[in-house]
Amino acid sequence: MGRSRRTIPEELLLLALDPATGTTAQPQSLDLGLAGAQLVELALAGRIAPDGDRIAVVMARPTGDPTLDSALELLRRRGSPVRAVHWIGGPRLGLRQIYLAHLERCGMVHAVSGQMCGVLPTTRYQATETAISRDIRARLDSAIRTGVPPDPRTAALAALAHAVGLGKHLYPGNEGRSSRSRLRDLIRHDPMGGLVAHAVMDVQNGVAAQPRRTTTTPDNGSRHAAAAGVPMQPHHGAMARAVVHH
């Protein structure tokens, strides 16, 4: 994929970075959001498509983005559509750190090493290309304030930002309440983004074992997940240790 455009996982991560502290807001739910953002990006690239509450590979050709292609290959190996909640709730060890390292290589962020309590090593990330971060934020602000239906990328980004709880980070306090509400409402403008965002929220709420809707396909998701070693609930420990956060 061309590098003239940031992917949705990268944009979501840049939105979550706190410019003052160099930490990421909502770190545990952000881990889920990044896995979901990969699905949206692959859908926009024509590689996958929704099949009820499941995700089906429709084109296995690589995108040229190594991290996305790794996810695409894992989906392809499943051999049948996988429920979005099972995919998002599965282990994604180091995914957030992978994207932070990528943004650092691209010159988008700068890693700052330090120590916690004078003992534990920490790494914080400061955005260096602030114009790009401002542009991402401006797209969300425009969609919220104008009421004009956003493009699919912005709609999906808004849906994921809401799903991982970035609303209070982006639009804090009582004065941001109406903006947070409109951010939530943008979820309806992109079907794939909406599917993934609801799956992210379902995993956080512990309801991943139940399908969101009835489909004509027998629900073998639990059997497939168990066979593949995918847990029903996310494991955040390794990723939570990768980056210092609130």
Side-chain angles (χ1 to χ4, degrees):
M1 306 181 77
R3 300 313 302 153
S4 61
R5 182 178 64 188
R6 303 260 66 83
T7 65
I8 292 177
E10 292 165 358
E11 291 190 332
L12 184 66
L13 187 51
L14 287 170
L15 277 178
L17 274 179
D18 189 314
T21 65
T23 61
T24 53
Q26 303 297 115
Q28 291 190 332
S29 56
L30 182 61
D31 295 336
L32 302 175
L34 289 173
Q38 286 187 315
L39 294 180
V40 176
E41 191 67 46
L42 287 170
L44 289 172
R47 286 356 186 236
I48 64 175
D51 180 5
D53 65 348
R54 298 172 184 264
I55 304 298
V57 175
V58 295
M59 182 190 300
R61 190 181 72 219
T63 66
D65 181 304
T67 308
L68 290 176
D69 289 340
S70 176
L72 179 61
E73 176 61 14
L74 288 174
L75 286 166
R76 186 193 66 80
R77 288 179 184 176
R78 294 294 181 90
S80 60
V82 59
R83 287 185 61 203
V85 288
H86 288 167
W87 175 261
I88 291 169
R92 297 289 179 271
L93 298 180
L95 186 58
R96 182 155 38 105
Q97 187 61 32
I98 287 172
Y99 275 108
L100 283 168
H102 170 72
L103 290 177
E104 184 181 16
R105 288 193 301 272
C106 293
M108 295 288 297
V109 301
H110 172 64
V112 180
S113 299
Q115 289 184 329
M116 179 182 293
C117 301
V119 178
L120 298 175
T122 65
T123 303
R124 299 176 185 272
Y125 292 86
Q126 300 289 343
T128 54
E129 294 289 341
T130 55
I132 294 178
S133 296
R134 287 196 302 268
D135 176 69
I136 296 169
R137 175 64 181 271
R139 283 165 42 212
L140 283 187
D141 289 347
S142 177
I144 285 172
R145 292 170 181 167
T146 65
V148 176
D151 63 274
R153 299 184 68 82
T154 301
L157 180 63
L160 286 162
H162 166 70
V164 303
L166 289 184
K168 291 183 178 180
H169 168 70
L170 299 171
Y171 307 103
N174 288 333
E175 65 275 14
R177 183 177 301 172
S178 61
S179 293
R180 293 195 299 271
S181 177
R182 288 193 289 270
L183 180 71
R184 179 196 62 218
D185 291 343
L186 290 176
I187 200 170
R188 71 182 187 275
H189 289 294
D190 180 63
M192 185 66 178
L195 169 64
V196 170
H198 281 301
V200 168
M201 291 185 284
D202 280 353
V203 173
Q204 292 179 85
N205 292 332
V207 295
Q210 299 298 323
R212 290 190 56 81
R213 60 181 66 86
T214 301
T215 67
T216 56
T217 304
D219 186 8
N220 295 323
S222 298
R223 176 169 55 83
H224 291 323
V230 177
M232 300 304 290
Q233 296 296 326
H235 297 278
H236 301 300
M239 286 187 284
R241 290 192 296 271
V243 186
V244 175
H245 49 259
H246 298 303

